[in-house]
């Protein structure tokens, strides 16, 4: 009897203890994350990577600028640990991180910064053939760079430029590797496929099949849990998605809207979505006498009120976009656009009638004397163009869609001012300074392709870029956004949504607002594939 009671008591104790002990899977170091990407790398170089998405991905992970941008578009320390701005806002002094090293172990010094700026300022760089090269060359040619000591560099500007900090996000090159390469030969150098940077990941190997990144052993931030990240190269996004379905990779760099339904139905893939700092707007040519009516504000307001943008996005992009209400990215420090008005076809018709535009001959298109309310609409997305034209039919406007490539749109039409209306795409990462696109001085040779000229808007933009007081800049840009919403030199359509597919076997993956797609790896130091099982709790 005593033996039986003892056994029963022991069983009860063991049961209680088991209930109090829990097995938990904890992140473990190791494993490689494999991602399907599209294309082949050409220039893994921060000065020449602008034309290739894969180059930009790799460059963003391997190189650093003096500063970086957080998800609100604000400058934060990167290769520079601190900076000071002179009272007159024309001198910027940067202090490099102490003991910063290149991936090959060489120390980072002010000489590397001075060398990189020298490349940007060279005539050969300006002649590299990329629009970004011309812009960067013009910007940096007006800057004087001075080495103060081995870890301090000072820039002198000819006049205050509030957006200058965001320009220092461009990656720095190692002088000791590039100094003997003529600038004109840099785009063809083999060093572009053997990059050495200071970022959290370094290139461990590359071939025709893929590239492998490993943690930077000199990185002073959090050490990644992963042993590496592999990019597998595919010719298109359909092939990349098929590779995931076949188990060849753990993720797909981008899920296109047409592939999203299949991705969401996958039992093994999580789709993460994030706003991307790319805006699509509809530009009007306000200076073309053949469509002089587009310079009439009531006409532009009517075109705006007649649009049902959410319906447009559902038709053209499967709803994978965020309706835009102004020229500055939501979620950034400068955003203060008035809410977009609700679609109001009746009010749009009223505005056009009051402005003298009526359908006098019953052909469905409004006219005013010998002029009809019709124009050519350029763009690269035929579905979106057709949807826009269809919505404007309801107010008697005839928009004639004409599909053109992005390259042709930029070189043959926008830069030549050879368009009537055009759906355009803009990359808005960095400082929100609207001057390059909307100031009247940029109408002839700059990027103000609409020809908009407004004296009050000019004043707001001029003061906004000449002060580094963020509070004051917010006030100025708030007024600018209200003025833009009233004048409507262009119609804001949408901000792009970036969809990223990752296997459920990869944990702790998260994305926020992205300045550029490579920032999907911003939290990669906490990603993991392997786990250790540990027991928690205690027995009695």
């Amino acid at each position: 009897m005593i033996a039986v009671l003892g056994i029963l008591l022991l069983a009860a104790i063991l049961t209680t203890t088991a209930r109090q002990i829990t097995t938990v899977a904890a992140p473990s170091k190791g494993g490689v994350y494999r991602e399907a990407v599209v294309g082949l790398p050409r220039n893994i170089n921060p000065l020449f990577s602008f034309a290739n998405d894969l180059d930009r991905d790799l460059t963003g992970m391997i190189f650093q600028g003096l500063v970086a941008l957080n998800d609100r578009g604000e400058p934060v320390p990167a290769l520079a640990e601190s900076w000071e701005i002179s009272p007159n806002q024309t001198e910027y002094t940067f202090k490099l991180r102490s003991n910063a090293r290149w991936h090959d172990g060489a120390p980072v010094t002010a000489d590397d910064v001075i060398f990189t700026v020298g490349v940007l300022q060279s005539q050969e760089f300006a002649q590299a053939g990329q629009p970004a090269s011309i812009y960067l060359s013009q910007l940096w040619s007006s800057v004087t760079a001075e080495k103060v000591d081995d870890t301090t560099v000072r820039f002198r500007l000819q006049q205050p430029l509030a957006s200058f900090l965001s320009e220092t996000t461009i990656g720095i090159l190692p002088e000791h590797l590039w100094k003997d390469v003529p600038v004109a030969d840099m785009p063809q150098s083999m060093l572009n496929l053997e990059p050495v940077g200071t970022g959290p990941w370094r290139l461990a190997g590359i071939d025709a099949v893929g590239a492998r990144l490993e943690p930077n052993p000199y990185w002073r931030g959090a050490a990644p849990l992963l042993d590496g990240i592999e990019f597998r190269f595919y010719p298109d996004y359909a092939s990349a998605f098929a590779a995931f379905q076949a188990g060849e990779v753990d993720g797909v760099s981008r899920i296109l809207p047409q592939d999203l339904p299949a991705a969401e139905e996958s039992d093994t893939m999580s789709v993460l979505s994030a706003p991307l700092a790319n805006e699509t707007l509809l530009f009007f040519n306000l200076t073309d006498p053949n469509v002089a009516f587009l310079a009439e504000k009531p006409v532009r307001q009517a075109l705006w009120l007649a649009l049902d943008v959410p319906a447009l996005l559902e038709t053209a992009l499967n709803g994978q976009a965020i309706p835009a209400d102004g020229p500055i990215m939501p979620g950034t420090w400068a955003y203060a656009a008035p809410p977009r008005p609700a679609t109001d076809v009746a009010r749009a018709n009223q505005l056009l009638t009051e402005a003298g535009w009526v359908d006098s001959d019953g052909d469905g298109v409004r006219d005013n004397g010998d002029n009809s309310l019709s124009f050519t609409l350029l763009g690269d997305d035929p579905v979106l163009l057709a949807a826009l034209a269809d919505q404007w039919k309801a107010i008697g406007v005839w928009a004639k869609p004409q599909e053109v490539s992005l390259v042709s749109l930029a070189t043959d039409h926008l830069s030549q001012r050879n368009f009537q209306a055009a759906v355009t795409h803009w990359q808005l990462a960095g400082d929100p300074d609207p001057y390059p696109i909307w100031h009247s001085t940029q109408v002839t040779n700059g990027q103000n392709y609409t020809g908009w000229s407004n004296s009050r808007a000019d004043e707001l933009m001029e003061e906004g870029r000449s002060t580094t007081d963020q509070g004051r800049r917010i006030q100025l840009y708030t007024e600018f956004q209200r003025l833009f919403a009233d004048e409507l030199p262009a119609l804001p359509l949408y901000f792009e949504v970036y969809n990223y597919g990752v296997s459920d076997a990869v944990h702790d993956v998260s994305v926020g607002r992205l300045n550029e797609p490579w920032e999907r790896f911003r939290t990669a130091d906490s990603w993991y594939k392997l786990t250790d099982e540990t027991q928690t709790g205690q027995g009695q």
Side-chain angles (χ1 to χ4, degrees), residues 12 141 220 511 522:
S141 292
R220 299 181 67 186
V511 292
R522 184 184 281 146

Side-chain angles (χ1 to χ4, degrees), residues 200-212:
W201 300 89
R202 68 175 182 180
L203 187 68
I206 188 169
D207 56 27
V209 176
R212 180 184 173 96

Side-chain angles (χ1 to χ4, degrees), residues 190-530:
M190 286 303 297
L191 290 174
N192 292 311
L193 296 178
E194 301 170 356
V196 173
T198 59
W201 300 89
R202 68 175 182 180
L203 187 68
I206 188 169
D207 56 27
V209 176
R212 180 184 173 96
L213 302 178
E214 294 178 349
N216 174 8
Y218 304 103
W219 184 247
R220 299 181 67 186
L225 291 170
L226 294 170
D227 284 338
I229 294 175
E230 288 183 2
F231 285 168
R232 303 282 181 87
F233 306 148
Y234 293 90
D236 50 52
Y237 286 103
S239 301
F241 187 66
F244 178 87
Q245 292 175 312
E248 297 174 10
V249 293
D250 304 306
V252 180
S253 64
R254 190 164 196 173
I255 305 295
L256 297 182
Q258 58 266 34
D259 297 326
L260 193 59
E264 292 177 334
E265 291 174 3
S266 171
D267 294 332
T268 58
M269 173 181 281
S270 295
V271 178
L272 294 86
S273 300
L276 189 62
N278 290 346
E279 183 176 19
T280 296
L281 304 97
L282 193 148
F283 276 16
F284 298 118
N285 189 337
L286 306 181
T287 62
D288 186 345
N290 295 314
V291 284
F293 55 81
L294 291 176
E296 301 174 18
K297 186 166 74 171
V299 172
R300 300 195 300 273
Q301 290 175 328
L303 292 169
W304 182 231
L305 288 169
L307 289 184
D308 183 346
V309 173
L312 286 173
L313 302 184
E314 193 63 40
T315 298
L317 298 170
N318 290 336
Q320 294 304 300
I322 299 172
D325 46 19
I328 293 179
M329 178 78 179
T332 60
W333 61 265
Y335 172 75
R340 69 168 29 250
T343 304
D344 192 339
V345 174
R347 176 58 180 158
N349 277 312
Q350 181 184 357
L351 284 171
L352 292 177
T353 300
E354 292 174 350
W357 293 94
V358 296
D359 183 8
S360 61
D361 54 9
D363 66 350
V365 180
R366 291 176 179 267
D367 55 77
N368 188 345
D370 294 332
N371 299 316
S372 64
L373 208 53
S374 64
F375 55 86
T376 300
L377 178 61
L378 304 179
D380 67 312
D381 185 340
V383 177
L384 179 60
L385 296 179
L388 285 164
D390 188 61
Q391 289 195 2
W392 280 329
K393 287 180 182 178
I395 59 171
V397 174
W398 181 24
K400 296 170 282 188
Q402 181 179 330
E403 183 182 358
V404 295
S405 69
L406 286 177
V407 173
S408 177
L409 181 64
T411 59
D412 301 330
H413 298 282
L414 293 177
S415 63
Q416 304 299 319
R417 276 62 175 174
N418 179 29
F419 72 100
Q420 296 179 346
V423 175
T424 64
H425 309 288
W426 290 90
Q427 216 278 337
L428 297 183
D431 190 271
D433 178 15
Y435 187 103
I437 305 177
W438 301 114
H439 195 273
S440 63
T441 60
Q442 306 303 300
V443 169
T444 303
N445 296 315
Q447 298 180 92
N448 185 347
Y449 302 128
T450 68
W452 184 45
S453 178
N454 182 285
S455 58
R456 179 54 184 162
D458 282 354
E459 292 172 358
L460 295 167
M461 288 183 280
E462 289 163 10
E463 185 179 351
R465 66 170 7 204
S466 64
T467 177
T468 57
D469 181 340
Q470 190 175 100
R472 177 57 181 160
R473 296 187 78 199
I474 289 174
Q475 294 175 345
L476 295 166
Y477 290 156
T478 295
E479 184 180 346
F480 172 80
Q481 289 168 85
R482 290 172 180 166
L483 181 59
F484 187 97
D486 179 62
E487 286 285 318
L488 291 173
L491 302 187
L493 296 180
Y494 64 87
F495 287 97
E496 196 173 339
V497 168
Y498 189 89
N499 293 306
Y500 180 43
V502 182
S503 168
D504 293 337
V506 185
H507 307 287
D508 272 11
V509 180
S510 63
V511 292
R513 192 191 74 87
L514 303 176
N515 297 297
E516 296 192 47
W518 73 265
E519 292 179 345
R520 65 188 182 274
F521 293 103
R522 184 184 281 146
T523 62
D525 60 327
S526 64
W527 299 4
Y528 66 97
K529 293 180 69 177
L530 306 182

